[in-house]
Amino acid sequence: MTAPIMKFGRSDKAKLSTIQTERQAFLKSQRSHGLTGSVTAPGDKSISHRSLIFGALAEGVTAIQGLLEGEDVLATAQAMRQLGAKVRREDNDLWHVAGCGARGLQSPEKPIDFGNSGTGARLIIGALAPYALTAELTGDASLSKRPMGRVLDPLRKMGVTTDPSAQNHLPLTLTGQETLSPLSYTLPVPSAQVKSALLLAGLNIAGTTEIIEPEPTRDHTENMIRAFGGDLSVTENKDGHRVITLQGPLHLKASDVCVPGDPSSAAFPIVAALLTPGSDVTVKNVLLNPLRSGLYKTLQEMGADITFQNIREEAGEQVADLRARASTLQAVDVPADRAPSMIDEYPILAIAAATAQGRTMMRGLKELRVKESDRLDAMARGLEACGVTVEEGEDWLAVTGAHALPGGAKIASYMDHRIAMSFLTLGLISDAPITVDGADMIATSFPSYRETMRALGADIEPTQP
Ligand code: S3P
């Protein structure tokens, strides 16, 4: 489960195929009874990436507590080291980032490898844009297929260039510029990564950077700019769209970060508890940011017995301990405008829907086609293989719940951590075990997944193909 971050160069196809075969661990889950106990959610992935990036851009030393030590975040830590920050893990699990300060990032000597991480890649592309430096950027097979035009198009308008010049995916070489023109930009897709990339660029651009968000997305970048001493305004325009404005350049000062637990990871033990008869599970320290909580709202609408205990504020974010007990779920219609607040949670919601009474309709899912895999297709194919009734549209998924869940399938995870964890959850309540391939990808976001689930009593074991 702790495979090292793989490296490969620009057109090294031979090496790429070795990576694909090396990364083929299989996990099998089978019927389990009464999950019980209390576990702590791993650190939030979005906040972890940002704490390293902001720490590296700021002046002074940022201490980070609770950083997610998953492969994606470790790739970001390595990237920030390559750009000149001193990033160190102390003995007591605390991370220290000695920042480069105003205009302090340096040219990396070697290519920066973002591994599987779209967040690391897109945010750091934005941060690099206003620097007169050149960086070769690479990623794994999945990341190399994901669209980068969504960040590169606006950055090119501002003056950034790439080699190849029109390339909209990794690998590519990026050349920034110290005198980028500031931009007013309406997000064409609801993407916190695009918004964040442009705000990170704006920190070092003289003038007003304005981002208009027709659909609100997670606001950790805005919160962190403020926490690091930067000023920015968030207002609503006459169309009711969020407008985020900052006046660059902004000089950031180091600020300690306490990373709350990841609601996207907590979703796996929580849904496992809801679906497995006789379960009573608490996941402690889960981030409750309203722009991340769509899944929990939806599950409660479905009749899930989830209670939020010990609600408190930590480092400017609300967190709580979530207690989930086995529940009978009813199908619901999930509105399209809820998608940004639960964009990573549709795979596990589709599993919950497979047990609910009725047909659950999930709309507005176009973005799922460009995640670590085409998640709409991966879920539809996997559910079909497990004997679940599923319909797939261009941007929607409908799942009809059933009492009888045959399981017994070998699921292609398409090297996607959330697809793997979702089908392992289904195996816990299916008649026959479910095996998933590419299970080592789980280490990108939830390195302690198997230990956590086993501590609760879930039967999840390594297996052979
Ligand atoms: C993230 C934003 C989301 C999400 C991803 C993390 C972030 O992507 O899917 O896992 O940290 O900003 P998009 O912003 O592209 O939707």
Side-chain angles (χ1 to χ4, degrees):
M1 294 280 288
T2 47
I5 296 162
M6 303 293 177
K7 307 252 179 243
F8 66 93
R10 297 191 55 177
S11 53
D12 199 343
K13 293 229 172 75
K15 225 166 171 184
L16 189 64
S17 60
T18 322
I19 290 166
Q20 280 159 344
T21 45
E22 272 171 16
R23 305 209 62 157
Q24 275 298 348
F26 291 79
L27 281 179
K28 179 176 82 177
S29 65
Q30 49 195 334
R31 192 180 285 286
S32 302
H33 302 278
L35 306 183
T36 50
S38 174
V39 290
T40 302
D44 186 71
K45 187 148 75 75
S46 294
I47 296 179
S48 293
H49 281 296
R50 287 163 174 78
S51 62
L52 291 167
I53 297 169
F54 277 93
L57 294 174
E59 193 183 307
V61 178
T62 290
I64 309 169
Q65 205 188 4
L67 187 85
L68 170 67
E69 295 180 356
E71 291 178 2
D72 278 12
V73 174
L74 297 180
T76 289
Q78 181 56 19
M80 299 329 287
R81 279 188 196 111
Q82 287 180 253
L83 292 165
K86 293 201 168 52
V87 184
R88 222 178 48 223
R89 183 185 195 273
E90 306 295 339
D91 290 342
N92 48 6
D93 292 356
L94 205 66
W95 285 70
H96 279 152
V97 183
C100 301
R103 303 223 57 84
L105 293 188
Q106 295 158 19
S107 265
E109 281 170 13
K110 292 190 191 141
I112 297 178
D113 184 351
F114 295 105
N116 192 243
S117 178
T119 309
R122 296 197 179 107
L123 268 56
I124 292 171
I125 285 176
L128 289 182
Y131 280 85
L133 57 76
T134 293
E136 263 189 77
L137 310 176
T138 71
D140 75 2
S142 151
L143 183 57
S144 302
K145 282 194 225 136
R146 297 182 64 188
M148 291 295 146
R150 52 182 56 198
V151 284
L152 292 172
D153 289 344
L155 292 175
R156 283 182 182 126
K157 274 192 201 146
M158 296 154 81
V160 166
T161 56
T162 62
D163 178 23
S165 62
Q167 176 117 318
N168 279 333
H169 58 84
L170 300 186
L172 55 79
T173 299
L174 182 101
T175 301
Q177 226 194 85
E178 268 181 24
T179 51
L180 291 185
S181 346
L183 190 73
S184 168
Y185 192 67
T186 301
L187 294 182
V189 283
S191 168
Q193 294 180 354
V194 177
K195 168 177 69 177
S196 301
L198 299 176
L199 289 174
L200 281 161
L203 293 176
N204 279 305
I205 298 173
T208 308
T209 293
E210 181 185 69
I211 315 291
I212 300 146
E213 270 198 309
E215 294 174 74
T217 65
R218 65 191 71 191
D219 56 359
H220 310 306
T221 301
E222 295 91 304
N223 297 342
M224 221 171 259
I225 289 177
R226 289 199 180 106
F228 279 74
D231 196 19
L232 108 175
S233 86
V234 181
T235 54
E236 228 178 63
N237 69 12
K238 60 176 177 9
D239 303 316
H241 299 166
R242 270 176 103 229
V243 182
I244 304 137
T245 313
L246 69 78
Q247 303 292 335
L250 289 181
H251 291 164
L252 303 179
K253 290 266 185 306
S255 171
D256 294 350
V257 180
C258 179
V259 182
D262 196 325
S264 304
S265 298
F268 295 103
I270 296 281
V271 172
L274 295 174
L275 305 192
T276 310
S279 298
D280 185 349
V281 161
T282 299
V283 182
K284 290 184 282 187
N285 200 36
V286 182
L287 172 72
L288 279 191
N289 182 316
L291 295 165
R292 297 285 301 281
S293 306
L295 172 75
Y296 297 102
K297 187 172 181 174
T298 305
L299 289 170
Q300 285 185 316
E301 287 171 2
M302 294 172 87
D305 182 352
I306 303 180
T307 49
F308 298 82
Q309 302 175 327
N310 191 16
I311 299 177
R312 57 212 184 263
E313 201 174 293
E314 272 176 20
E317 295 278 8
Q318 253 200 4
V319 296
D321 302 334
L322 266 57
R323 180 175 182 190
R325 284 175 274 201
S327 308
T328 303
L329 301 180
Q330 308 294 327
V332 287
D333 259 24
V334 190
D337 64 5
R338 197 176 291 168
S341 69
M342 54 179 293
I343 195 65
D344 292 333
E345 282 69 78
Y346 284 97
I348 190 62
L349 178 64
I351 300 296
T355 72
Q357 287 168 2
R359 179 174 178 263
T360 293
M361 181 68 183
M362 295 163 259
R363 300 173 206 275
L365 308 189
K366 201 162 142 232
E367 278 295 296
L368 292 198
R369 299 227 178 257
V370 292
K371 293 296 177 189
E372 286 82 330
S373 68
D374 175 344
R375 287 184 173 159
L376 264 184
D377 213 48
M379 287 313 296
R381 298 294 77 76
L383 285 169
E384 249 166 33
C386 293
V388 176
T389 303
V390 56
E391 301 150 79
E392 177 192 0
E394 190 51 35
D395 68 346
W396 58 267
L397 195 70
V399 177
T400 303
H403 269 309
L405 293 165
K410 287 192 174 144
I411 299 296
S413 73
Y414 302 95
M415 312 301 275
D416 184 328
H417 53 133
R418 297 199 202 280
I419 300 297
M421 289 185 277
S422 296
F423 281 101
L424 289 169
T425 310
L426 185 59
L428 301 177
I429 49 159
S430 294
D431 295 338
I434 290 179
T435 300
V436 302
D437 71 10
D440 35 6
M441 296 310 288
I442 293 170
T444 59
S445 67
F446 198 161
S448 60
Y449 169 74
R450 197 165 76 84
E451 292 69 30
T452 301
M453 295 306 294
R454 284 182 59 82
L456 297 173
D459 191 343
I460 301 178
E461 291 288 350
T463 189
Q464 297 302 318

